[in-house]
Amino acid sequence: MQDLIEELQWRGMIQDIMPGTKEQLKKEMTTAYIGFDPTADSLHIGSLVPIILLIHLQKAGHKPIALVGGATGMVGDPSGKSEERNLLSEDVLNHNVACVKAQLEKFLNFDASKPNAAEMANNYDWFKNISFLDFIRDTGKHITVNYMMAKDSVKKRLNSEAGMSFTEFTYQLVQGFDFYWLYKNKNCKLQMGGSDQWGNIVTGTELIRRKDGGEAFAFTCPLIKKADGGKFGKTEKGNVWLDAGKTSPYQFYQFWLNANDIDAEGWIKIFTFLDMPTIDTLIAEHKTDASKRLLQKTLAKEITIFVHGQEEYNKAIETTEKLFANNTAAAEDLSEEDLNNMEGIVKYNFAAEKIKASIAVIDLLVETAIFPSKGEARKMIQNGGLSINRKKVEQPEFKIEPSLLLHNKYLLVQKGKKNYYLITCN
């Protein structure tokens, strides 16, 4: 058995670990699970860490279970949250569970002929048959309120203005029962998760010990943070999703490509399966000439192929080159197909009538909402940060005339270094 814990430690993927976990993993093929929250119909890149943990677990010869919280999704987890979230209807939850399940099946090996084949589970399958009275009698009596109150996630919420509902207070007991059920029915001895889940996970091991006299194990990985203090996985447009319909492969690729040097050095260990010598070499090469952005390019390539496949990665590169790398080429050389197929470019329609004579560039920029005000547009032009059809606009008084239109209908606008807009004049 490959030493899973050592592998994860050098990658920076272990925060808390229960004594005996490493020994258990060395002793025998161990079944382990991670829970996934079905509050949306797609996972986002924050979910990549638990997915990758399960893949490492399976590669090391152990058996992964991906648990989708069809029941716990109805309750709401207070961990790391300042207020209670909205509860979802059963229909929405079922739809989300099905979508999340389909995504997870892309990443793990479910070949039933293998002894460590991955399995999917939905905790609604066992909770739907348990009555409230049965639950508080058979499970609730094993965990004291004192024990539950001592958890950080509970303390923070009890001391907050919002307080905490009984529903959320019971969450750790419900999640703890998941571990107990999987222990009893699937011989699952290990739970993994983010560090904000430590309290809930330990409740599970405690329930197994008190209710069954059994021994279970746990470890967590650190929550991913950005070096600049920004929230990982968030952009101006919101979450970076794994669903290509919500975040295009080009936008997904760009997220990783735009990582700063400190983040890229940490993320390449966590989000790729490259080995230690390869990563050490990449980091050393990057440090000799950071301007080549070798770490970012490798990280973006590996993770885009992993999530979206080689073909979508190739398309993302093509779009990137057309927009950025090859912007010395004249805009006039871009075909209509090139302009319309560029992913990640914001598109606006504009009345061709307004350009017939000519229109001040500042008026155009404000009317298309590329800039919120004329003052901001003027400032950007004066600072040399605006280009039309890849030619810098020097004066705020510049006029847009019909002769400027590419293929008699398009204007390619660049604001700053990374923001591109395609205006179609109909």
Side-chain angles (χ1 to χ4, degrees):
M1 291 255 173
Q2 174 196 338
D3 194 324
L4 177 66
I5 299 302
E6 277 183 21
E7 172 75 15
L8 296 176
Q9 277 171 332
W10 84 259
R11 290 184 183 274
M13 294 180 78
I14 292 199
Q15 178 148 330
D16 303 296
I17 183 162
M18 194 165 276
T21 303
K22 188 172 181 174
E23 292 72 17
Q24 168 62 32
L25 289 164
K26 280 188 165 179
K27 184 173 79 174
E28 62 187 0
M29 183 183 86
T30 302
T31 301
Y33 92 97
I34 294 181
F36 291 87
D37 186 358
T39 45
D41 60 2
S42 169
L43 297 171
H44 52 76
I45 59 173
S47 314
L48 279 173
V49 177
I51 289 169
I52 288 168
L53 277 176
L54 289 175
I55 293 169
H56 280 299
L57 179 95
Q58 192 170 35
K59 280 186 170 181
H62 304 289
K63 184 179 177 69
I65 296 177
L67 172 73
V68 184
T72 36
M74 292 179 178
V75 178
D77 178 6
S79 303
K81 298 188 178 63
S82 58
E83 57 186 44
E84 187 156 350
R85 69 185 177 195
N86 295 326
L87 302 184
L88 303 172
S89 72
E90 201 168 334
D91 287 349
V92 171
L93 205 56
N94 288 340
H95 168 72
N96 292 354
V97 166
C99 294
V100 168
K101 195 173 172 183
Q103 281 184 331
L104 290 168
E105 284 171 345
K106 279 171 54 183
F107 300 109
L108 294 161
N109 187 345
F110 287 84
D111 180 355
S113 67
K114 297 188 181 301
N116 67 331
E119 287 186 31
M120 292 290 309
N122 179 351
N123 59 11
Y124 185 70
D125 292 343
W126 50 87
F127 272 112
K128 66 184 177 188
N129 297 320
I130 300 174
S131 75
F132 176 69
L133 290 175
D134 287 343
F135 189 70
I136 58 172
R137 183 193 65 199
D138 299 336
T139 301
K141 69 177 182 184
H142 293 284
I143 302 290
T144 65
V145 170
N146 313 53
Y147 179 86
M148 294 170 77
M149 296 271 283
K151 297 293 164 64
D152 285 342
S153 59
V154 173
K155 277 185 195 166
K156 281 178 193 164
R157 285 291 297 278
L158 286 176
N159 295 329
S160 73
E161 206 175 307
M164 186 183 211
S165 69
F166 174 74
T167 306
E168 281 196 312
F169 180 61
T170 58
Y171 184 89
Q172 61 171 296
L173 202 53
V174 174
Q175 186 175 323
F177 185 81
D178 286 341
F179 198 177
Y180 172 79
W181 191 95
L182 290 169
Y183 172 84
K184 286 289 284 181
N185 294 277
K186 299 283 183 182
N187 193 30
C188 179
K189 293 182 180 176
L190 170 65
Q191 186 182 169
M192 307 174 289
S195 58
D196 61 336
Q197 292 295 311
W198 182 248
N200 294 335
I201 292 171
V202 171
T203 299
T205 63
E206 192 66 10
L207 196 57
I208 289 164
R209 186 180 70 79
R210 293 184 184 186
K211 197 168 155 82
D212 211 63
E215 190 176 24
F217 304 91
F219 69 80
T220 62
C221 57
L223 296 180
I224 309 296
K225 291 181 178 148
K226 286 171 83 173
D228 63 7
K231 193 168 181 187
F232 171 74
K234 290 276 188 189
T235 67
E236 287 174 26
K237 293 178 182 173
N239 280 327
V240 179
W241 300 96
L242 302 190
D243 182 343
K246 290 176 180 285
T247 299
S248 74
Y250 164 77
Q251 292 164 331
F252 185 87
Y253 174 78
Q254 285 294 321
F255 172 83
W256 301 100
L257 192 64
N258 290 324
N260 67 36
D261 289 349
I262 298 168
D263 286 335
E265 194 172 316
W267 294 353
I268 201 158
K269 294 175 186 174
I270 295 169
F271 293 104
T272 79
F273 296 94
L274 299 172
D275 60 22
M276 191 190 288
T278 305
I279 288 176
D280 287 346
T281 303
L282 281 167
I283 291 170
E285 282 182 34
H286 178 83
K287 284 178 176 170
T288 61
D289 185 0
S291 67
K292 288 182 179 171
R293 297 180 69 73
L294 180 64
L295 271 183
Q296 286 89 341
K297 285 176 183 174
T298 308
L299 169 67
K301 176 184 178 180
E302 292 289 323
I303 196 75
T304 304
I305 291 172
F306 171 64
V307 173
H308 293 296
Q310 182 74 45
E311 194 179 331
E312 292 300 335
Y313 163 73
N314 293 343
K315 286 183 194 169
I317 288 291
E318 199 179 313
T319 300
T320 302
E321 284 174 354
K322 280 175 181 169
L323 280 176
F324 303 106
N326 195 28
N327 61 12
T328 51
E332 289 75 15
D333 293 339
L334 293 169
S335 67
E336 269 196 83
E337 193 181 5
D338 285 340
L339 290 165
N340 282 301
N341 289 342
M342 285 179 179
E343 288 190 72
I345 193 168
V346 183
K347 295 177 181 176
Y348 291 111
N349 289 315
F350 193 74
E353 282 292 313
K354 294 186 178 181
I355 294 182
K356 260 192 177 173
S358 71
I359 185 171
V361 67
I362 283 180
D363 290 337
L364 176 88
L365 294 169
V366 173
E367 285 189 43
T368 52
I370 292 172
F371 284 91
S373 69
K374 290 185 179 183
E376 285 194 36
R378 186 175 287 106
K379 195 173 174 185
M380 180 67 84
I381 292 168
Q382 287 166 342
N383 290 333
L386 187 92
S387 296
I388 303 278
N389 297 343
R390 292 190 169 161
K391 295 182 181 73
K392 205 170 279 294
V393 175
E394 308 283 354
Q395 300 296 331
E397 296 76 31
F398 182 77
K399 300 276 189 197
I400 303 290
E401 297 175 350
S403 60
L404 282 175
L405 296 176
L406 304 171
H407 305 287
N408 300 314
K409 65 188 291 192
Y410 303 105
L411 288 168
L412 183 62
V413 180
Q414 183 182 354
K415 178 174 88 171
K417 284 185 179 177
K418 294 173 184 170
N419 300 301
Y420 281 82
Y421 307 84
L422 184 69
I423 299 173
T424 305
C425 299
N426 293 311

